[in-house]
Amino acid sequence: MRLMRVGALGAERPVVLDDGGRSFGLSGLTDDIDGAFLAAAGLDRVRAALAAGELAPDDVDGERIGAPIARPPAVVCVGMNYAAHAAESGAAPPEHPVIFYKHPNTVVGPNDDVFLPRGAAKVDWEVELGVVIGRRARYLTSQEDAFACIAGYVLSNDVSERALQLEVSGGQWSKGKSCETFNPLGPWLVPAGDIGNPQALGLRSWVNGEARQDSNTADMLFSVATLIHDISQYTVLEPGDLVNTGTPQGVALSGRFPYLSVDDVVEIEIDGLGRQRQVVVKG
């Protein structure tokens, strides 16, 4: 099953898609897909109601798709988590996870426009596996405990402005990551059990139809479970939080491709998690 939020910005409603792609409303179970819903075994309740035929059909054709989770309490990001990407960035592979944060209000729908910040010249794309937390993660003792805290997975684009990230700010990454619309998310939240092994997912990106990234989460330096366990040692992750797990090689920072400009079209996808399409517009 796949969970979505559809409708106008700020007025999205939650729906679930079954294995046949049919959509059903969740109004009888929850007002939204957020941390409170996830913490209260919301995904299990949806699965049970879907199996029992208790949900009413909800036609979503032609509607805007919002981010599959309501504004997350926190967006925690991992940098240089693929060796080839670290190399193209001019850095050695890190010995420990590199952590930074995005403002939660960067999260938008998977097909919403991306705003080019005023004066920006180095806007970049980053296809990433996003992890949605389903229960509090605090001082976890094992990778098994880490998996138990994961509600599901999402497709995430960690859009970045490299000059703000690396030059103007003197290396304060969050400055180059927190511009508005800089985290398109979705289209779906897929429960962790429906994905299986998160370290076996292909991820790809295109700009104006030309391939940019083509890799696999098996190439992560730090696995999903390792990351959640590590982060929990110094940050309490709450239900509804989003963790972006890093991007593979093939971004503009490498020098092989031009940075984004107005009217460029970015597309990204991950196996089992759907596809996104954004148009870059003037901010």
Side-chain angles (χ1 to χ4, degrees):
M1 79 179 179
R2 298 164 288 169
L3 280 78
M4 299 175 62
R5 297 170 67 248
V6 299
L9 181 65
E12 296 92 343
R13 69 184 186 280
V15 299
V16 61
L17 304 181
D18 67 9
D19 292 342
R22 297 173 298 177
S23 53
F24 300 86
L26 299 180
S27 59
L29 293 177
T30 184
D31 292 330
D32 214 339
I33 302 171
D34 55 14
F37 164 76
L38 296 172
L43 297 180
D44 291 338
R45 290 188 286 117
V46 170
R47 192 182 300 279
L50 186 62
E54 298 172 349
L55 302 176
D58 187 339
D59 185 6
V60 301
D61 286 348
E63 293 204 60
R64 171 186 173 270
I65 302 173
I69 55 173
R71 178 171 167 171
V75 180
V76 184
C77 304
V78 182
M80 298 189 295
N81 196 28
Y82 291 75
H85 175 57
E88 73 177 359
S89 303
E95 296 182 8
H96 305 282
V98 174
I99 302 298
F100 61 94
Y101 297 85
K102 296 178 82 101
H103 196 297
N105 68 8
T106 59
V107 174
V108 294
N111 303 317
D112 289 345
D113 292 339
V114 166
F115 294 169
L116 195 73
R118 296 178 185 179
K122 295 183 177 181
V123 174
D124 213 342
W125 58 89
E126 294 189 15
V127 58
E128 303 199 9
L129 175 65
V131 179
V132 178
I133 301 301
R135 65 174 67 171
R136 174 176 274 202
R138 175 180 180 270
Y139 296 120
L140 300 176
T141 59
S142 69
Q143 293 195 4
E144 289 74 18
D145 288 344
F147 276 126
C149 293
I150 296 173
Y153 300 100
V154 292
L155 172 60
S156 184
N157 189 354
D158 176 20
V159 183
S160 310
E161 210 293 330
R162 303 300 190 186
L164 286 173
Q165 176 189 352
L166 301 171
E167 301 167 13
V168 175
S169 67
Q172 298 181 57
W173 283 25
S174 291
K175 285 186 178 180
K177 301 283 189 169
S178 291
C179 303
E180 61 180 329
T181 73
F182 266 28
N183 202 151
L185 199 68
W188 314 308
L189 167 64
V190 180
D194 292 0
I195 285 296
N197 181 7
Q199 305 306 148
L201 303 175
L203 61 174
R204 294 162 288 274
S205 68
W206 298 261
V207 175
N208 299 326
E210 297 181 356
R212 292 292 185 261
Q213 296 171 281
D214 187 357
S215 187
N216 192 286
T217 55
D219 294 329
M220 284 184 183
L221 294 171
F222 305 102
S223 70
V224 167
T226 298
L227 291 172
I228 302 306
H229 174 268
D230 179 81
I231 294 168
S232 78
Q233 306 308 307
Y234 43 83
T235 298
V236 178
L237 294 171
E238 300 286 0
D241 283 350
L242 171 67
V243 179
N244 288 328
T245 59
T247 198
Q249 73 277 11
V251 296
L253 182 63
S254 68
R256 294 187 289 134
F257 308 111
Y259 287 103
L260 297 173
S261 57
V262 171
D263 294 330
D264 280 345
V265 177
V266 179
E267 296 172 275
I268 67 172
E269 69 177 17
I270 294 179
D271 296 344
L273 294 176
R275 190 178 178 106
Q276 299 183 0
R277 181 183 187 274
Q278 299 102 36
V279 177
V280 179
V281 301
K282 186 176 180 180

